[in-house]
Amino acid sequence: MSTLVVVGVQWGDEGKGKIVHLLGHQADWVVRYQGGNNAGHTVIFDNKHFVLHLIPSGILQPGTQCLIGNGVVVDPEALHEEVRFLEKRNVHVRGRLHVSDAAHVILAYHRYLDCLREDRAGGGKIGTTRRGIGPAYSDKVGRNGIRIADYLNPSVFRPLLERNLREKAPLLKRFGSLSKIRRDVLKSYPALKRFLQPLVTDGPHLVYRAMEKRKKILFESAQGTMLDVDFGTYPYVTSSNPVAGGVCIGSGLAPNRLDEVLGVVKAYTTRVGEGPFPTELKDSLGEALRRRGMEYGATTGRPRRCGWFDAVAVRSAVRINGCQWLALTKLDVLEGTHPLRIAVAYRVGNKRLKEFPNDRQMQAEAEPVYEEMPGFHGSIRGMKRYAQLPANARAYVRRLEQLVGAPFAMISLGRSREETIILDSKFPWKP
Ligand code: IMP
């Protein structure tokens, strides 16, 4: 029996999809515990390119069962589409995908409200994915939410829907009359209800039973620690808790059953959407990283903002998640960049900060204090052993480990599973 959390320790898009795919064949279960179809996990499998939004990446491992936990917000239309996308590519989903009956649903009005808030926010917009994530989580904590179990029971669902529509009507006018919005919500309801019914389960009980049977469970986060609603750059965050602590809340796993935490971290930094990003490169180097790293959002296609590695943010994330291990991704993208810079502290006014500040004004004003290292040259893609890496690349990797306070268990040098160096560590989930 063992449990592992794979968690992003930057602003998302660290390459978690590949790492989960790499480790997933050992897992009996892969569980998503937060977020929704705002995520975009890219996996290359069987020479095919898959982008998964809501379904755990473990679905691409034929022997693995997958659970969408209670902490996820589920858009039934998006889930239906994703299942059809996978089935068309001969991925067998039925009987392997399970959805917690306590997960909340995203309905058409959540998507409308997300767009409305963004369009009205002017300079204060978050840059959300406009998938209705924030409004669905707002309803959840505001106790107006509709859970999967409610959605499947028309006599519970209909009055809840009417209450929500009445409450939100004044805001929704721009999108049409109340009856038009009701039609938008209900248009595929019978078909979606039929589709969802066989997938639905008691999530926490299922996790408990898997633990009792000594199964291996991998918990897959979406987004990253710096987008966590509590620990990220609030309010420029998503509305859930990607951190490892979110696993227990979002799946029902008992806290004392969490064994390993693997943080996934890119060799530089990216962020999509608005908000503080102290090491952002707004020059041609940022542009070059975007081009070489193909840094475009997997969900919205937006160009990602790119910048230097921020050891202040990652160190804080490693501590919050309790990462015993890290997976370093996209080291190859830094080939030929000289010198390499790493932020080791921030300067705010005349103060030097060694820890990531919670204060939003300080986050916005933080100027990175950089340490410089020589770059490395030549192609490192295809290298299989750590010792093959150029000395300067190894020095960069070792310096990152020192600065963030956790060892690397693997280094990814490309999208396919073969393009990975496995380091000699005691990490128990060896790929
Ligand atoms: P929301 O999750 O759609 O509400 O968006 C809130 C913030 O999180 C925005 O800055 C998004 O760009 C960002 N975000 C949401 N999902 C992802 C992701 O999977 N990767 C990177 N950023 C994300």
Side-chain angles (χ1 to χ4, degrees):
M1 172 196 74
S2 114
T3 55
L4 165 72
V5 191
V6 176
V7 63
V9 292
Q10 290 160 313
W11 277 274
D13 306 316
E14 297 92 350
K16 296 178 291 294
K18 165 175 166 172
I19 302 298
V20 171
H21 185 58
L22 195 65
L23 304 175
H25 67 281
Q26 307 170 50
D28 299 296
W29 284 89
V30 177
V31 179
R32 264 284 297 271
Y33 57 94
Q34 47 73 227
N37 60 322
N38 48 351
H41 292 164
T42 306
V43 181
I44 307 287
F45 174 57
D46 245 2
N47 287 327
K48 289 184 211 137
H49 180 264
F50 292 88
V51 181
L52 297 165
H53 299 285
L54 194 49
I55 299 179
S57 311
I59 204 73
L60 301 174
Q61 302 286 355
T64 305
Q65 295 282 317
C66 293
L67 172 67
I68 295 179
N70 55 280
V72 177
V73 281
V74 178
D75 183 329
E77 282 182 53
L79 183 61
H80 187 224
E81 238 173 66
E82 202 163 311
V83 168
R84 285 194 8 208
F85 164 88
L86 287 170
E87 286 180 340
K88 272 198 205 139
R89 281 156 186 79
N90 299 321
V91 178
H92 182 64
V93 176
R94 309 280 155 146
R96 297 181 49 227
L97 177 65
H98 310 266
V99 182
S100 170
D101 58 2
H104 282 245
V105 289
I106 299 181
L107 299 173
Y109 54 79
H110 293 121
R111 293 191 294 265
Y112 292 147
L113 288 172
D114 201 355
C115 296
L116 187 77
R117 284 181 193 172
E118 283 291 278
D119 293 344
R120 281 190 178 169
K125 77 175 175 144
I126 306 292
T128 74
T129 58
R130 298 179 176 240
R131 300 289 196 270
I133 307 294
Y137 278 115
S138 299
D139 275 356
K140 173 178 173 173
V141 295
R143 291 166 294 192
N144 274 332
I146 298 178
R147 310 212 283 187
I148 297 267
D150 307 325
Y151 184 74
L152 294 179
N153 181 347
S155 59
V156 175
F157 173 55
R158 292 302 296 259
L160 281 177
L161 173 64
E162 289 312 312
R163 195 173 90 194
N164 270 287
L165 287 175
R166 265 199 316 276
E167 182 198 88
K168 297 169 180 35
L171 284 172
L172 291 169
K173 271 193 211 123
R174 185 180 115 182
F175 301 96
S177 65
L178 205 57
S179 47
K180 189 246 170 205
I181 301 206
R182 184 183 295 107
R183 274 200 310 279
D184 290 348
V185 173
L186 293 175
K187 72 174 182 282
S188 315
Y189 177 62
L192 291 172
K193 189 163 141 335
R194 271 198 308 280
F195 154 73
L196 271 177
Q197 200 97 51
L199 310 182
V200 172
T201 188
D202 176 341
H205 189 61
L206 191 150
V207 169
Y208 174 76
R209 277 204 329 263
M211 294 298 299
E212 287 293 287
K213 291 186 185 153
R214 311 189 76 74
K215 300 288 185 196
K216 285 182 93 169
I217 313 181
L218 189 158
F219 294 89
E220 174 181 357
S221 89
Q223 293 86 45
T225 304
M226 300 310 289
L227 286 172
D228 186 282
V229 68
D230 284 278
F231 302 105
T233 44
Y234 190 89
Y236 298 97
V237 291
T238 193
S239 298
S240 62
N241 291 111
V243 292
V247 165
C248 301
I249 306 295
S251 74
L253 183 83
N256 57 352
R257 294 294 186 96
L258 210 49
D259 297 319
E260 310 293 335
V261 182
L262 175 75
V264 185
V265 63
K266 215 183 286 200
Y268 50 98
T269 313
T270 62
R271 162 160 218 177
V272 214
E274 308 302 320
F277 181 175
T279 62
E280 182 169 14
L281 287 164
K282 293 186 175 158
D283 56 8
S284 56
L285 186 53
E287 186 55 50
L289 287 177
R290 184 175 310 119
R291 200 182 51 250
R292 279 190 252 140
M294 289 183 285
E295 297 293 357
Y296 294 89
T299 298
T300 57
R302 289 178 291 176
R304 294 179 185 142
R305 300 156 64 192
C306 298
W308 293 118
F309 190 94
D310 186 337
V312 184
V314 176
R315 185 172 53 236
S316 142
V318 163
R319 289 179 189 160
I320 287 165
N321 289 294
C323 299
Q324 299 111 314
W325 317 98
L326 293 170
L328 182 67
T329 62
K330 291 195 157 181
L331 182 63
D332 54 302
V333 174
L334 294 180
E335 284 164 8
T337 305
H338 175 81
L340 294 169
R341 292 202 167 101
I342 306 170
V344 293
Y346 300 138
R347 201 169 298 289
V348 182
N350 53 12
K351 278 200 196 120
R352 186 184 158 106
L353 302 184
K354 284 173 95 178
E355 302 299 330
F356 198 87
N358 292 320
D359 180 301
R360 67 173 84 179
Q361 192 175 343
M362 282 184 154
Q363 289 175 4
E365 290 173 3
E367 289 289 337
V369 176
Y370 287 120
E371 186 174 292
E372 271 189 13
M373 296 190 73
F376 52 94
H377 299 278
S379 173
I380 59 171
R381 277 188 88 159
M383 290 186 178
K384 294 274 178 252
R385 286 180 302 109
Y386 179 70
Q388 288 175 294
L389 289 174
N392 288 352
R394 279 182 277 140
Y396 182 67
V397 168
R398 291 301 172 216
R399 185 66 184 136
L400 297 186
E401 278 183 334
Q402 269 172 3
L403 287 168
V404 306
F408 290 115
M410 60 198 85
I411 302 175
S412 166
L413 301 175
R415 279 185 160 178
S416 73
R417 55 183 306 143
E418 292 73 33
E419 295 172 296
T420 316
I421 295 176
I422 309 303
L423 285 113
D424 188 20
S425 73
K426 293 200 169 76
F427 179 57
W429 286 56
K430 285 262 180 288

